[in-house]
Amino acid sequence: MSTVLLIADHDGKNLNTGIARSVACARQLGTVHVAVFHAPDEDAACAAAAKLDGVSRVLSISDPANEGPLAAVLAPQVAALAREHEGGYDYVLAPSTTFGKDLLPRVAALLGVPQVSDLMEIIDARTFKRPIYAGNVITTVKVPEGIPVLATVRIASFSAVDAGGDAPIVSASTSAELPTHTRYIGLSAAGGGDRPDLQSATRVVAGGRGVGSKENFEIIYRLADKLGAAVGASRAAVDAGYVPNDMQVGQTGKIIAPDLYIAVGISGAIQHMTGIKDVGCIVAINKDGDAPIFEAADFGLVGDLFQLLPALEKALDGS
Amino acid sequence: MKILVGIKRVIDYNVRVQVNREGTGVVKDGVKMSINPFDEIALEEALRMKERGAATEVVVVSIGPEAAQQQLRTALAMGADRALLLTSDEEIQPLTAARALLAVVKEEDPGLVLLGKQAIDDDANQVGQMLAALWDRPQATFVSALEFDDGSAKATREVDAGLETIEVDLPAVITVDLRLNEPRFVKMPDIMKAKRKPLDIRPFAELGVELPPQLETGRYEPPPRRQGGVKVDSVEALVAALKDKGLLS
């Protein structure tokens, strides 16, 4: 049986929701060990990882240097773990979040092996599908025999495992030497207030250039709050300065997969559609009946968003 | 400080990319090629650093077919001082590219390497991180703001949770995101001037780079088409349809 090392993305308190999705991918490939690199007093993510169905062991790697997710500090530790495990890990996976994308290529280079980015489908133990050209083309790649498989997992392509497990948490350490040339300063979270997180929300309402201004975006927030939804935006709306960048949905923004996505005043550029390819149900509201988003939307409503959104709010009140 | 900027020749971002009939690749014949947009932002940043006296020389390097001279000439017209093309007709995968760039870094000894966060063709997002690892130097990826201080840089990174700031000692590898700057337009006189700037062309094979294991690429296919649905004619019809699907209670 193959063994899989999955690197946890967490913020010192919570496990990134992409990990439960990555476990779904990992457990199809072998026995899953989740490695949580953390500062000594920040081990809460270990307990969360231990609960995920399909995880057979959680490796808790505690070091003051692991406060703040720095690829330069983590990569030598991951590479050492991958090598030092009995017989070596067959797979090293990370979610295709900015954390995983930053870290895993550095590990791959240290191990001298290629990496599969954005693994979206498993064909067999070494053959995978991944998107290229902003999702306009899907290609199949095969990792040669005799080397570990390194891959970032496109989390929107896998459904999260349940949290009914109870894996042992084991302390681990590595022989890696840690550099001091890279230092973590801090994180400033922008955007959403106390609304649900864009990447884990089951409902998302997003606005585009058609919303027209920063002030007008209030109408999007109102509908989102009524639905308990997260708020997203197209790149056009971000570039126009209506909302901060971390709300951007699309190839250069966030790739999301809620059950319900309501796109308001969004025309549906390819860039944007890449970000919502795996959404359960897309609703498009746009005054241009020929907008490309209607080709992909499950339900389209043509008309002025400034009339339709208040009407929609009212209809939801009545229901 | 010398800055090395990586440039990749890719299908222009305005082109609607299509898989060829055999499913062995994408159609490139007669298709407009450009500098990878993220690399153009990296180059712009290097040029601005030179203009404000923070850098002394900007060297652009590309790995690709002979035709990539065209993109390097554009880079020279934008203001780069000189260019290097490592020619290869084979597809160069990220780890191989990183090893080749390391060889160039060893020759050039730059104080900073600037790259796009990813190429818009293979979307791998690997080369910068791999180069930094092989070089044993810091990396800052997805960078949207940069500030330099004596011997180090403060980089603001666009991460999923917001904006993260890290500090890296130089030399370092920095990969840039969309919002770092807006690249300049190239003016006609600069295109003429660029023709006289040095462009060194060397076969990739002569670099003596050890080739790592490669991913075998197989089939190319268009993504499954999402079935378009229906247009509803009123808010009430929409709410009813969503309730019907169990998406609203």
Side-chain angles (χ1 to χ4, degrees), chain A residues 101-102 106 117 130 133-134 138 140 142 181 183 185-186 188 203 245 248 254 289 295 297 300 319, chain B residues 121-124 126 129 137 139 141 158 160 163 165 167 169 179 216 218 221 229-232 243 247:
Chain A
K101 291 187 208 176
D102 188 39
R106 196 159 177 129
S117 290
R130 62 172 300 259
Y133 288 100
I138 308 299
T140 306
K142 183 169 189 217
H181 54 47
R183 296 167 292 277
I185 309 277
S188 68
R203 294 170 176 180
N245 175 52
Q248 190 201 133
K254 288 177 179 155
E295 287 170 30
S319 66
Chain B
D121 51 4
D122 67 5
D123 286 332
Q126 298 176 10
Q129 296 89 312
R137 293 306 307 167
Q139 72 187 45
T141 53
E158 297 192 347
D160 293 332
L163 296 173
T165 308
E167 189 180 42
D169 290 341
R179 274 153 212 87
E216 296 162 34
E221 57 197 324
V230 292
K231 280 187 184 152
V232 290
K243 279 186 183 168
L247 291 162

Side-chain angles (χ1 to χ4, degrees), chain A residues 69-71 97-99 101-103 105-106 108-110 112-118 129-144 147 180-190 199 203 227 235 238-239 245-246 248 251-252 254 259-260 270 276-283 285 289 294-302 308 311-312 315-316 319, chain B residues 11 15-19 26 28 38 93-95 99 117-118 120-127 129-134 136-142 152 154 157-169 177-179 212-236 238-239 241-243 245-249:
Chain A
L70 292 170
T97 54
T98 50
F99 165 83
K101 291 187 208 176
D102 188 39
L103 171 63
R106 196 159 177 129
L110 294 177
V113 300
Q115 176 193 306
V116 179
S117 290
D118 288 318
K129 285 191 181 182
R130 62 172 300 259
I132 56 175
Y133 288 100
N136 288 302
V137 179
I138 308 299
T139 182
T140 306
V141 294
K142 183 169 189 217
V143 181
I147 58 171
T180 55
H181 54 47
T182 308
R183 296 167 292 277
Y184 182 77
I185 309 277
L187 176 75
S188 68
Q199 275 179 309
R203 294 170 176 180
L227 288 165
R235 187 176 148 203
V238 172
D239 284 351
N245 175 52
D246 64 342
Q248 190 201 133
Q251 177 68 10
T252 55
K254 288 177 179 155
D259 300 329
L260 174 63
I270 300 170
I276 57 170
K277 221 188 288 281
D278 296 304
V279 169
C281 176
I282 298 174
V283 173
I285 298 176
F294 287 116
E295 287 170 30
D298 298 272
F299 302 109
L301 193 51
V302 180
L308 292 174
L312 182 53
L316 291 170
S319 66
Chain B
I11 293 180
V15 173
R16 200 171 187 135
V17 173
Q18 290 189 330
V19 174
V26 302
K28 285 185 180 162
F38 293 108
Q93 292 186 3
L95 186 52
R99 286 184 178 179
K117 70 166 178 179
Q118 72 190 62
I120 61 163
D121 51 4
D122 67 5
D123 286 332
N125 193 328
Q126 298 176 10
V127 172
Q129 296 89 312
M130 287 177 159
L131 170 62
L134 300 175
D136 200 12
R137 293 306 307 167
Q139 72 187 45
T141 53
F142 315 110
S152 69
K154 238 185 217 152
R157 310 179 53 232
E158 297 192 347
V159 297
D160 293 332
L163 296 173
E164 183 188 279
T165 308
I166 64 171
E167 189 180 42
V168 295
D169 290 341
D177 216 323
L178 278 179
R179 274 153 212 87
Q214 300 272 297
L215 296 177
E216 296 162 34
T217 50
R219 261 177 70 74
Y220 289 68
E221 57 197 324
R225 270 188 82 90
R226 207 187 160 92
Q227 286 295 323
V230 292
K231 280 187 184 152
V232 290
D233 52 14
S234 70
V235 163
E236 290 68 32
L238 175 63
V239 171
L242 291 177
K243 279 186 183 168
K245 281 200 144 201
L247 291 162
L248 290 177
S249 53

Side-chain angles (χ1 to χ4, degrees), chain A residues 192-196 203 205 218-231 313 316:
Chain A
D194 49 9
R195 291 190 181 85
R203 294 170 176 180
V205 181
E218 200 49 48
I219 200 169
I220 304 291
Y221 293 120
R222 273 219 317 270
L223 178 61
D225 290 345
K226 186 129 284 176
L227 288 165
V231 177
E313 268 186 64
L316 291 170

Side-chain angles (χ1 to χ4, degrees), chain A residues 120-316:
Chain A
M120 62 184 286
E121 194 181 323
I122 299 167
I123 307 292
D124 64 40
R126 304 192 84 82
T127 316
F128 312 98
K129 285 191 181 182
R130 62 172 300 259
I132 56 175
Y133 288 100
N136 288 302
V137 179
I138 308 299
T139 182
T140 306
V141 294
K142 183 169 189 217
V143 181
E145 298 291 336
I147 58 171
V149 175
L150 266 73
T152 55
V153 178
R154 185 174 183 275
I155 52 184
S157 302
F158 296 88
S159 303
V161 297
D162 292 331
D166 183 21
I169 300 172
V170 184
S171 297
S173 60
T174 73
S175 61
E177 251 181 71
L178 307 186
T180 55
H181 54 47
T182 308
R183 296 167 292 277
Y184 182 77
I185 309 277
L187 176 75
S188 68
D194 49 9
R195 291 190 181 85
D197 172 62
L198 185 54
Q199 275 179 309
S200 53
T202 54
R203 294 170 176 180
V204 173
V205 181
R209 174 126 47 202
V211 178
S213 72
K214 191 174 175 175
E215 292 68 37
N216 286 354
F217 235 79
E218 200 49 48
I219 200 169
I220 304 291
Y221 293 120
R222 273 219 317 270
L223 178 61
D225 290 345
K226 186 129 284 176
L227 288 165
V231 177
S234 70
R235 187 176 148 203
V238 172
D239 284 351
Y242 302 167
V243 292
N245 175 52
D246 64 342
M247 286 166 61
Q248 190 201 133
V249 173
Q251 177 68 10
T252 55
K254 288 177 179 155
I255 294 175
I256 58 171
D259 300 329
L260 174 63
Y261 185 75
I262 303 182
V264 182
I266 290 176
S267 65
I270 300 170
Q271 204 288 124
H272 188 76
M273 301 316 292
T274 304
I276 57 170
K277 221 188 288 281
D278 296 304
V279 169
C281 176
I282 298 174
V283 173
I285 298 176
N286 200 308
K287 67 177 177 207
D288 174 9
D290 295 326
I293 193 151
F294 287 116
E295 287 170 30
D298 298 272
F299 302 109
L301 193 51
V302 180
D304 182 355
L305 68 96
F306 299 104
Q307 287 166 13
L308 292 174
L309 258 54
L312 182 53
E313 268 186 64
K314 205 174 278 175
L316 291 170

Side-chain angles (χ1 to χ4, degrees), chain B residues 36-215:
Chain B
N36 175 44
F38 293 108
D39 299 348
E40 210 174 4
I41 294 167
L43 174 57
E44 176 65 33
E45 195 64 17
L47 297 175
R48 289 184 191 187
M49 286 177 69
K50 193 183 166 194
E51 283 159 359
R52 62 168 192 265
T56 51
E57 191 186 20
V58 176
V59 181
V60 286
V61 56
S62 187
I63 308 170
E66 292 268 353
Q69 285 179 62
Q70 210 183 333
Q71 280 65 44
L72 288 174
R73 284 286 170 209
T74 304
L76 292 170
M78 281 175 73
D81 295 292
R82 59 190 172 85
L84 168 63
L85 173 60
L86 303 169
T87 54
S88 168
D89 290 325
E90 308 272 313
E91 178 213 8
I92 301 290
Q93 292 186 3
L95 186 52
T96 312
R99 286 184 178 179
L101 287 176
L102 180 69
V104 176
V105 159
K106 286 196 168 148
E107 283 178 18
E108 296 282 349
D109 193 26
L112 179 65
V113 177
L114 280 169
L115 304 169
K117 70 166 178 179
Q118 72 190 62
I120 61 163
D121 51 4
D122 67 5
D123 286 332
N125 193 328
Q126 298 176 10
V127 172
Q129 296 89 312
M130 287 177 159
L131 170 62
L134 300 175
W135 192 13
D136 200 12
R137 293 306 307 167
Q139 72 187 45
T141 53
F142 315 110
V143 168
S144 61
L146 264 176
E147 229 177 279
F148 289 88
D149 199 10
D150 204 21
S152 69
K154 238 185 217 152
T156 303
R157 310 179 53 232
E158 297 192 347
V159 297
D160 293 332
L163 296 173
E164 183 188 279
T165 308
I166 64 171
E167 189 180 42
V168 295
D169 290 341
L170 299 179
V173 178
I174 289 176
T175 78
V176 308
D177 216 323
L178 278 179
R179 274 153 212 87
L180 181 60
N181 62 47
E182 211 158 300
R184 66 196 63 193
F185 286 106
V186 178
K187 295 190 214 81
M188 189 48 90
D190 294 330
I191 294 174
M192 302 312 289
K193 244 186 275 171
K195 288 188 176 157
R196 293 190 300 273
K197 287 186 178 177
L199 197 169
D200 186 14
I201 301 176
R202 289 151 64 182
F204 180 86
E206 276 179 19
L207 213 58
V209 168
E210 192 198 337
L211 297 178
Q214 300 272 297
L215 296 177

